[in-house]
Amino acid sequence: MASQLLPLELIDRCIGSKLWIIMKSEKELVGTLRGFDDYVNMVLEDVTEIEHTPEGGKRITKLDQILLNGNNICLLVPGAEPPEE
C-alpha cells in the first residue's frame, strides 16, 4: 500500500524552497517559504509579486518578506516559477 501524504505535510516539506503561488485575484507570487500555520497563512521571503493588469500587461513588485493570508490562495506549485510569456 502506498504511503499517504497529507496537504500540510507537503507544504511542510517545502519550507526553505521556492513556491509559485497563484492567488484568487489577478496576482501570482514567487518566493521562498519560511513558515506557515494550519490555515495556510504563509511567511515568504525574496518575493516577486506579479499582477496582471486589465490592459493585458504585468506589474512586477519585489518584496523582502510578506505574510500571506491563506484564504486568498488558489494554487501552490512547489519548486516552480511562472512561465515566461
Side-chain angles (χ1 to χ4, degrees):
M1 184 170 162
S3 64
Q4 184 177 14
L5 183 64
L6 298 173
L8 291 178
E9 292 173 345
L10 177 61
I11 297 170
D12 188 54
R13 290 185 182 185
C14 294
I15 290 178
S17 301
K18 191 169 266 198
L19 283 180
W20 173 25
I21 303 167
I22 300 173
M23 306 298 289
K24 290 179 183 176
S25 64
E26 295 297 317
K27 291 184 183 180
E28 300 177 23
L29 299 145
V30 176
T32 303
L33 180 63
R34 291 297 170 212
F36 69 99
D37 64 12
D38 289 342
Y39 301 101
V40 195
N41 298 316
M42 298 181 171
V43 175
L44 299 166
E45 287 184 345
D46 303 322
V47 178
T48 301
E49 178 185 61
I50 304 155
E51 186 173 1
H52 299 276
T53 62
E55 299 83 31
K58 292 183 182 178
R59 184 178 312 132
I60 296 176
T61 307
K62 302 281 188 178
L63 304 162
D64 290 331
Q65 189 174 56
I66 64 167
L67 173 61
L68 181 64
N69 185 326
N71 284 335
N72 299 318
I73 296 172
C74 181
L75 179 69
L76 297 172
V77 185
E81 294 195 23
E84 294 293 325
E85 294 178 15

